[in-house]
């Protein structure tokens, strides 16, 4: 059968294009349906797909050229699908399956390598935190947790920071907004230390207590190379009969040797925390120079690492409101708190605290 000559297109709106292409497709299908020998197939191919005189070539030459710019895309889309139809008709007539072009469009190369997923690794903060916890677990300590959004009572008052006490100012507290209608003790804040979990633990259980409390804390601190407004601490609390300052010293000396190596020495300096009396800052001999004096330890040979002290009787008095066995005449205890980031930075020689939080795989990949 002979095809109609390709007409000129006068309208280029979607409906006109649909109609014109549908007409051509119908002609192609009709032509393809009567192909019963090789010569006829070849004639069909030349008629539709021939490079110079083929109908599709003519369509692209005349219609596409005449089309206004805004119609070119719609026309091109229809042209491509008509071409795919004609090619499929030819393939079917040749009995050779789909054309290279249509195969390519659907191809799934099963020889391509799969998506490689990196093996995960513990974050250096988590790793350090777990390491600290396991040093104390080996001494018989259990592990506790508490809320990050804490009340004024647990974070401050029960830790012997009375309302209005100047020591509260040293904690740079981030408070939750719109708490005015609550009493001071119920007002919410982001805990500034893990110490409130000391009180939560004692309220839950009578002595003896040996517990470590790892967790996230928040302070309204400007970030710099060694400070972050969000960081981690591990708290420790030991309460029993006859717990003395020597128990505290022995425990922390052992823990520092377990964390930094048996050559490390510790020394205790008087300090102040409202919830311990006496209080101390613990220094370890400089792990970089072995105590000779270097830039890292400011030539002193010592590095300050954590706070500690004997639990203040005023703290036991708060605990005794719920658990009368916390009678400071009968029991005693010590507590300590250390910064996880600081310990991790020392252990791994990291100089920027921000490296922990940036999520940069070049940094994290070193801990696999
Ligand atoms: N809570 C103290 C701080 O964040 C650390 C500390 C814990 C000190 C326990 C003594 C005892 O600075």
């Amino acid at each position: 059968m002979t095809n109609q000559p390709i007409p000129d297109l006068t309208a280029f709106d979607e409906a006109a294009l649909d109609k014109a292409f549908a007409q051509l497709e119908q002609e192609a299908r009709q032509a393809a349906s009567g192909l019963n020998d090789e010569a006829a197939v070849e004639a069909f191919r030349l008629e539709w797909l021939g490079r110079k005189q083929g109908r599709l070539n003519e369509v692209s030459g005349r219609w596409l050229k005449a089309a206004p710019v805004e119609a070119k895309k719609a026309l091109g889309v229809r042209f491509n699908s008509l071409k795919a139809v004609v090619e499929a008709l030819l393939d079917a007539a040749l009995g050779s399956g789909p054309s290279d072009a249509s195969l390519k469009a659907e191809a799934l190369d099963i020889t391509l390598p799969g998506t490689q997923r990196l093996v995960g690794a513990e974050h250096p903060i988590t790793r350090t935190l777990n390491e600290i916890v396991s040093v104390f677990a080996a001494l018989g300590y259990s592990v506790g947790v508490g809320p990050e959004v804490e009340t004024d009572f647990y974070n401050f008052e029960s830790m012997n920071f009375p309302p209005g006490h100047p020591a509260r100012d040293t904690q740079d507290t981030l408070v939750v907004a719109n708490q005015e209608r609550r009493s001071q003790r119920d007002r919410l804040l982001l805990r500034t230390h893990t110490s409130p979990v000391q009180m939560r633990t004692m309220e839950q259980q009578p002595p003896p207590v040996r517990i470590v409390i790892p967790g996230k804390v928040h302070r309204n601190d400007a970030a710099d190379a060694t400070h972050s407004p969000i960081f981690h601490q591990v708290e420790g609390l030991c309460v029993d009969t006859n717990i003395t300052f020597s128990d505290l010293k022995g425990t922390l000396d052992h823990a520092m040797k377990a964390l930094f190596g048996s050559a490390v020495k510790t020394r205790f300096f008087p300090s102040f925390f409202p919830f311990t009396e006496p209080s101390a800052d613990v220094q370890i001999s400089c792990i970089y120079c072995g105590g000779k004096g270097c830039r890292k330890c400011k030539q002193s040979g010592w590095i300050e690492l954590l706070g500690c002290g004997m639990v203040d009787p005023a703290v036991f008095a708060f605990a005794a409101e719920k658990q009368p066995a916390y009678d400071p005449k009968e029991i005693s205890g010590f507590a300590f708190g250390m910064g996880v980031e600081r310990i991790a930075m020392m252990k791994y020689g990291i100089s920027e605290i921000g490296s922990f939080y940036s999520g940069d795989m070049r940094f994290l990949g070193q801990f696999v």
Side-chain angles (χ1 to χ4, degrees):
M1 83 156 267
T2 49
N3 291 302
Q4 305 293 315
I6 303 287
D8 277 326
L9 260 194
T10 48
F12 290 89
D13 56 287
E14 303 254 332
L17 291 176
D18 282 341
K19 193 165 161 231
F21 276 96
Q23 167 71 26
L24 284 178
E25 183 176 330
Q26 198 200 344
E27 287 176 21
R29 286 186 188 284
Q30 213 161 40
S33 68
L35 302 174
N36 39 25
D37 60 9
E38 257 182 63
V41 173
E42 178 58 10
F44 173 84
R45 190 186 68 76
L46 275 175
E47 168 87 20
W48 286 90
L49 299 170
R51 264 178 216 225
K52 294 221 174 93
Q53 266 104 50
R55 308 194 87 213
L56 288 182
N57 187 46
E58 206 181 330
V59 167
S60 95
R62 301 235 316 265
W63 292 4
L64 213 52
K65 242 176 248 156
V69 201
E70 56 294 353
K72 282 202 198 290
K73 189 170 170 210
L75 204 150
V77 169
R78 288 166 178 77
F79 177 82
N80 285 338
S81 49
L82 174 64
K83 189 169 174 211
V85 167
V86 173
E87 281 171 347
L89 289 169
L90 181 66
D91 286 335
L94 288 167
S96 63
S99 68
D100 280 0
S102 61
L103 263 185
K104 229 179 238 163
E106 283 180 37
L108 171 69
D109 184 350
I110 59 164
T111 67
L112 283 172
T115 308
Q116 295 234 4
R117 291 184 197 284
L118 296 174
V119 178
E122 237 173 18
H123 189 278
I125 292 300
T126 312
R127 189 200 282 203
T128 306
L129 194 144
N130 288 340
E131 205 177 318
I132 298 168
V133 165
S134 52
V135 166
F136 290 96
L139 297 177
Y141 283 65
S142 52
V143 182
V145 289
E148 276 173 52
V149 179
E150 189 52 284
T151 61
D152 185 279
F153 176 75
Y154 284 112
N155 196 80
F156 287 127
E157 200 176 333
S158 74
M159 286 290 108
N160 198 28
F161 295 79
H165 193 280
R168 287 176 172 233
D169 299 346
T170 64
Q171 298 263 328
D172 300 309
T173 313
L174 290 160
V175 299
V176 175
N178 302 322
Q179 301 282 300
E180 291 75 13
R181 59 185 175 77
R182 297 186 183 220
S183 65
Q184 164 108 13
R185 57 174 278 151
D186 292 332
R187 286 186 194 165
L188 298 175
L189 44 81
L190 300 184
R191 69 177 178 192
T192 57
H193 52 176
T194 41
S195 301
V197 194
Q198 288 186 31
M199 188 55 60
R200 289 183 174 276
T201 306
M202 289 190 280
E203 285 184 350
Q204 294 302 312
Q205 65 175 93
V209 168
R210 281 173 183 75
I211 194 166
V212 277
I213 302 133
K216 201 177 280 175
V217 302
H218 304 252
R219 291 193 192 176
N220 186 17
D221 256 352
D224 64 21
T226 56
H227 293 83
S228 157
I230 305 175
F231 61 105
H232 299 78
Q233 290 186 331
V234 176
E235 188 85 12
L237 175 67
C238 168
V239 184
D240 207 336
T241 49
N242 300 314
I243 298 292
T244 67
F245 201 90
S246 356
D247 295 317
L248 169 59
K249 287 186 79 173
T251 302
L252 290 181
D253 185 71
H254 164 79
M256 293 304 115
K257 286 179 163 66
L259 288 171
F260 291 104
S262 54
V264 156
K265 294 194 202 52
T266 54
R267 66 179 190 179
F268 290 69
F269 264 63
S271 184
F272 174 78
F273 301 101
F275 38 93
T276 47
E277 182 60 35
S279 303
D281 284 329
V282 182
Q283 301 181 350
I284 64 168
S285 54
C286 180
I287 58 163
Y288 302 103
C289 65
K292 286 193 212 56
C294 66
R295 223 165 46 91
K296 297 266 191 190
C297 60
K298 300 194 186 86
Q299 309 305 330
S300 73
W302 296 91
I303 292 179
E304 194 168 302
L305 208 54
L306 69 151
C308 66
M310 301 306 290
V311 178
D312 194 295
V315 172
F316 283 140
F318 277 104
E321 286 174 19
K322 296 241 166 87
Q323 294 281 357
Y326 287 98
D327 175 354
K329 285 195 276 304
E330 303 290 333
I331 48 98
S332 55
F334 63 76
F336 55 85
M338 56 188 98
V340 179
E341 275 77 354
R342 188 158 154 69
I343 292 175
M345 287 170 82
M346 287 181 60
K347 282 181 77 79
Y348 298 115
I350 294 159
S351 52
E352 286 281 337
I353 198 171
S355 312
F356 290 129
Y357 316 119
S358 65
D360 188 331
M361 290 302 290
R362 291 168 299 181
F363 173 76
L364 295 173
Q366 300 175 82
F367 297 91
V368 173

